[in-house]
Amino acid sequence: MIINQLSVFVENQPGKLAEVLGVLHTHEINIRAMSVGDTADFGILRIIVNEPEKVQHVLRGAGFTVKITPVASIILSDQPGSLFEQVSKLSSAGVNVEYIYAFAANSAEKHARVVLKVDNLNLAERLISGKCETSEAYGDDACATPNFYW
Amino acid sequence: MNTYWNKPAETMEREEMSNLQAGRLKEIVTRLYRQQPFYRSKMQEQGLLPEDVVTLEDIKKLPFVSKQDMRDNYPYGLFAAPMSEIVRIHASSGTTGRPTVVGYTKRDIGIWSEVAARSLVAAGLSKQSCIQIAYGYGLFTGGLGIHYGAELLGASVIPISSGNTNRQIMLMKDFGTTAIACTPSYALYIAETMREMGIDPRETKLRTGIFGAEPWTERMRQAIEAQLGIKAMDIYGLSEIIGPGVAIECSEQNGLHISEDHFYPEIINPVTGEVLPDGEKGELVLTTLTKEGMPMIRYRTRDLSVLHREKCDCGRTLVRMSKVLGRSDDMLIIRGVNVFPSQVENVLLGIGSTSPHYQLIVERKGNLDHLTVLVELTEEMFTDEVRGLEELEHKIKGELSSVLSVSATVRLVGPKTIERSEGKAKRVIDKREL
Ligand SMILES: [Zn+2]
């Protein structure tokens, strides 16, 4: 499943992350999954929320640089090897995973969910949903549709 | 005992000097009007003929020339001699990526060597001196300018150029260097490196420093003199006029004597252009009285200074300019290199479709100037991947260092984090104490 993730630029300074979280809190926005990629100087906060366009508007208004990035979301059966299985499908088809992170655990759910940022989202989506096989990836026009999101 | 390189010129009576200057001014204005299209059209715009310039006072009628004129006429539009007569070309960085180009005839090189030799003698050097020239050689006028002056003087020249501090110090010790020419901030860096290497500067033969290419203060002089145990002398010059040697401090260290038989100085109000009397602070304007390759009439240096004409205790009658007190524009001098904020803006414009807000922060870290450029990240520039942003930083850094000729640290910052005054981002924060 393709979902929209919000990416927020955060300077690597005390209190900066808290500022973003504060804005989300004030607007009662629930973070369903998150990760931070960072360097010494800055970080990119990536979050999954319920209404990404609305939240983007809110964060922009608060003065942040925000971007909507489509990512793949996978539901995994909660057992060893299930993530490996999905990721190997992608790598065999030449899809590069830029980063990956998990949703907050929900005890009611029997499944785990992860978010993947890949370089060919449409192909990844088809591979994960089983609409095409790894071996077909390069041959089948439908499966090799270039990704027009970027 | 006072010594001079050219006693008649350096101790000329005021009246005689004025007559000499007036004659030379008239001559150069006539020549430019007849032979140089840029100057002729500038004079025609004002309805001026060469006959209108008779006395020194008449110089006020002539229009100013600015760095913009040099850019507009890039590369050779201001040259006044045919290329067959040009024997040297130098260039310095400009704001639009176009360098400022200057050309010298053989005679110009002679004049330059002469004023540089005068400068070295005024600063206390002689034939016996061994001078290490740690200014950059190449398109920058610093290295070759001092080099020719020192050779004319007959000193022993070590043309080491800039950089490689450990080697500078090693040669200084081994070769018995008595004088060094470099930027004042580099002198402090050398002092610090010597301390780290456990070398006492007082055990070397170093006695004099010829420092210039960037503004520096009395406090910095005291620091250099104390740390290196030398006399730190200020030399002034700019490539548009000739290079180092336009003016030099004497033993009195109370202002810099301008070689006014070659370079006629005025101080103006930078806003109105009005000429100010001696003793008042304003922008230094220089006219070359003898140059052939690229004469300059009323060139606006953008350097702020004050002129004093009383006779100096060193015996020289040459007018003195105060140490440069600042700039009348937003140019920064970083490690001896001219940097304009607009250059940074151009680089950023080349990367995105709109220029983000940016800020230049200049600091002196361990005696060396350090430039940090803060760039407010726009959504257009923002990518979701750390690698993408690192590549962006890297790209900006690379283009900045090639355009500015000075390396800069680039830091991406969030929107609206750069301090603004009346809605405009503050472009420059100079934390150096000048
Ligand atoms: Zn003097």
Side-chain angles (χ1 to χ4, degrees), chain B residues 362-376:
Chain B
V362 196
E363 291 157 290
R364 195 153 274 165
K365 289 183 186 166
N367 296 322
L368 265 194
D369 292 343
H370 192 88
L371 173 65
T372 303
V373 178
L374 302 185
V375 179
E376 280 188 7

Side-chain angles (χ1 to χ4, degrees), chain A residues 1-2 14 57 74 77 90 114 141:
Chain A
M1 185 173 47
I2 295 174
H57 188 75
I74 315 179
S77 55
L90 299 176
V114 293
D141 278 355

Side-chain angles (χ1 to χ4, degrees), chain B residues 248-255 257 311-318 320:
Chain B
I248 183 70
E249 270 182 341
C250 62
S251 51
E252 300 303 309
Q253 292 185 318
N254 181 23
H257 289 285
K311 191 174 166 179
C312 181
D313 288 342
C314 75
R316 284 177 185 79
T317 52
L318 296 173
R320 276 169 297 152

Side-chain angles (χ1 to χ4, degrees), chain B residues 2 28 35 53 59-60 65-66 72 74 103 128 137 145 149 170-171 203 238 271 311 344 360 380 396:
Chain B
N2 294 318
I28 200 158
Q35 298 171 5
V53 180
I59 198 171
K60 290 180 187 167
V65 175
S66 68
D72 293 346
Y74 173 87
Q128 275 70 44
Y137 278 66
M170 188 189 92
L171 295 197
E203 283 170 12
L238 58 169
V271 180
K311 191 174 166 179
V344 174
L360 283 72
E380 187 198 10
I396 297 174

Side-chain angles (χ1 to χ4, degrees), chain A residues 38-81:
Chain A
D38 65 346
T39 70
D41 291 333
F42 61 81
I44 301 170
L45 170 70
R46 301 165 185 131
I47 51 175
I48 304 293
V49 292
N50 276 335
E51 292 170 277
E53 286 82 8
K54 199 187 111 192
V55 177
Q56 179 183 34
H57 188 75
V58 165
L59 286 172
R60 257 191 201 150
F64 293 98
T65 308
V66 197
K67 204 162 206 169
I68 288 188
T69 317
V71 289
S73 155
I74 315 179
I75 298 176
L76 301 165
S77 55
D78 198 2
Q79 60 187 35

Side-chain angles (χ1 to χ4, degrees), chain B residues 271-336:
Chain B
V271 180
T272 63
E274 174 204 1
V275 178
L276 301 176
D278 287 354
E280 278 191 34
K281 177 179 164 182
E283 182 182 331
L284 179 67
V285 169
L286 289 166
T287 296
T288 65
L289 297 172
T290 49
K291 243 169 75 176
E292 297 176 332
M294 203 189 77
M296 274 291 177
I297 302 291
R298 304 196 88 197
Y299 182 71
R300 294 190 60 161
T301 65
R302 300 287 172 185
D303 287 323
L304 299 176
S305 183
V306 182
L307 292 182
H308 297 282
R309 256 173 260 259
E310 317 86 67
K311 191 174 166 179
C312 181
D313 288 342
C314 75
R316 284 177 185 79
T317 52
L318 296 173
V319 61
R320 276 169 297 152
M321 60 181 273
S322 70
K323 260 175 123 45
V324 172
L325 304 164
R327 295 278 304 172
S328 70
D329 62 7
D330 57 2
M331 187 179 87
L332 286 163
I333 301 175
I334 300 169
R335 300 190 187 187

